[in-house]
Amino acid sequence: MRTHRLAIFALIGLGALAMAGCYDGNSTADTVAPVFLSEQVQPGPADVDISVPADVVIESMTIESHAKSPSVKLSAQDDVLLTDWVITPIRSDGGTVASPQWQNFYSVYVPAGGSASVANYRIFPAEYFQQAPLYQLFPQNGGYDKETNKTNIRQRMHIEIFGKTVAGKAVSLVFDVNLNFFYLAP
C-alpha cells in the first residue's frame, strides 16, 4: 500500500513539473485582459554622452492594442490605461554593477484595437549619471569602468509598463532598449 501511495505522489509531482515546464514565458498570458500590447520604438538613443546632463529619452514610440483572440469583439471596456513604468538597467558588457532601477508614473491611454503615440518619454534620468557605475566614466573619477577597464558602459534598459483596462483587468508590456554610455571629452 505504501509503495502504491508513493507512486501516485510521484506521478502527481511529475505532472505538476510538466505543467510548469509548458509555460514559455509569454507575457500576453500574464494578464487576464482580452487584449495584449506591443510596441514600436523608433531608432532610439543608442549612444549616450554623459558629459551632457540630459535625460535619456525615447523620441518616438507607438503602443498598440491587439485582441488576444480573433473571435473576441473588443469594446471601450477593453481600452487600456498604462500608469506604472519600471525601468531596470542590466549590464550587457560583462560588468556586474548596474545603474539603479527607476520607476515613473506616466499615464498613456491606448484604445482597444488601436494605438497611442508617446513622444520624448524619459527612460533614464540624468541624475543617475552621477551614480554607480556611470560616475566612473567622468575624468575626475578615472574615466573608465573599473570592472571592464573600458571607457564605456553598456546597459540594457528592461522596461516594464503596467496598467489596467477600463474594466479593471491587468495589462502589461515588456521590452528592452540597449544603451552605450560614455564620456566625450570636450
Side-chain angles (χ1 to χ4, degrees):
M1 188 69 164
R2 283 189 105 132
T3 310
H4 181 57
R5 270 194 224 160
L6 183 59
I8 290 174
F9 284 124
L11 285 174
I12 291 172
L14 285 173
L17 285 174
M19 292 297 288
C22 290
Y23 181 73
D24 67 355
N26 179 357
S27 63
T28 62
D30 293 343
T31 64
V32 294
V35 295
F36 71 94
L37 302 175
S38 65
E39 93 294 333
Q40 292 181 354
V41 177
Q42 299 303 319
D47 292 323
V48 180
D49 178 5
I50 65 171
S51 69
V52 179
D55 293 337
V56 180
V57 299
I58 293 176
E59 291 182 16
S60 177
M61 174 173 51
T62 303
I63 299 173
E64 298 175 341
S65 169
H66 310 277
K68 282 185 179 175
S69 170
S71 63
V72 172
K73 183 171 172 144
L74 300 176
S75 71
Q77 291 293 307
D78 302 316
D79 292 354
V80 174
L81 179 61
L82 297 171
T83 55
D84 190 10
W85 302 57
V86 179
I87 295 96
T88 306
I90 300 165
R91 289 292 290 265
S92 58
D93 60 0
T96 59
V97 178
S99 295
Q101 185 180 66
W102 185 61
Q103 188 168 6
N104 190 17
F105 299 97
Y106 182 77
S107 295
V108 175
Y109 185 80
V110 185
S115 64
S117 295
V118 179
N120 297 317
Y121 180 72
R122 182 168 73 150
I123 61 170
F124 196 86
E127 55 265 23
Y128 281 11
F129 296 168
Q130 299 293 329
Q131 296 184 24
L134 299 180
Y135 76 92
Q136 299 174 89
L137 300 179
F138 285 93
Q140 64 270 26
N141 298 325
Y144 68 96
D145 178 32
K146 307 301 186 260
E147 287 187 295
T148 64
N149 291 322
K150 294 181 181 176
T151 58
N152 68 318
I153 292 176
R154 293 184 177 275
Q155 294 188 102
R156 177 172 39 95
M157 301 296 123
H158 183 71
I159 301 170
E160 298 174 285
I161 311 169
F162 302 96
K164 292 185 177 185
T165 63
V166 172
K169 296 180 179 175
V171 179
S172 64
L173 173 64
V174 178
F175 63 98
D176 294 332
V177 174
N178 292 309
L179 298 177
N180 177 39
F181 296 93
F182 60 92
Y183 184 94
L184 184 62

